[in-house]
Amino acid sequence: QVQLVESGGGLVQPGGSLRLSCAASISLFTIRTMAWYRQAPGKQRELVAAITSTGSTNYADSVKGRFTISRDNAKNTVYLQMNSLKPEDTAVYYCNKQPPFGNWGQGTQVTVSS
């Protein structure tokens, strides 16, 4: 069973930045598309950003121009650089493949507040 460990979240003021990391227990060379998802309180989990093995990316409209997803297959790690954070970005952030594995990591909490 694959393990996904997210880290890098925290409390940040509006306009601030965070960089999330996701370490996978399997080789990312075997996974075509990796993604970041988030779930805010009382809402369903949503796709935030995805990246293919060739480096093609796509983003939710709400984060375009602010977030950047990247991957390092040699390190089995996926990253999410988040800039110009807004209070509505507050959520638990998860990584997984797209479509997702059946199991999820514990996620990392991102709170944007003054």
Side-chain angles (χ1 to χ4, degrees):
Q1 184 173 342
V2 64
Q3 290 186 329
L4 301 162
V5 181
E6 301 90 349
S7 62
L11 172 63
V12 63
Q13 291 187 342
S17 298
L18 285 172
R19 188 190 194 210
L20 307 184
S21 298
C22 169
S25 62
I26 61 173
S27 172
L28 291 189
F29 286 107
T30 66
I31 301 177
R32 183 178 186 276
T33 304
M34 287 296 296
W36 283 95
Y37 303 78
R38 69 184 179 188
Q39 187 167 21
K43 295 187 177 182
Q44 289 191 335
R45 190 173 290 160
E46 63 174 349
L47 178 68
V48 174
I51 183 168
T52 70
S53 55
T54 59
S56 296
T57 58
N58 66 78
Y59 299 92
D61 287 344
S62 58
V63 307
K64 280 181 182 176
R66 301 188 298 120
F67 290 12
T68 302
I69 187 172
S70 60
R71 63 193 285 173
D72 186 335
N73 290 344
K75 295 182 178 180
N76 296 332
T77 302
V78 184
Y79 304 97
L80 186 68
Q81 177 67 45
M82 306 187 296
N83 299 328
S84 302
L85 282 161
K86 304 176 180 180
E88 51 264 43
D89 295 318
T90 295
V92 179
Y93 284 72
Y94 304 86
C95 74
N96 210 316
K97 70 178 184 70
Q98 186 187 19
F101 291 110
N103 60 299
W104 294 79
Q106 83 288 349
T108 187
Q109 175 71 47
V110 172
T111 302
V112 185
S113 175
S114 55

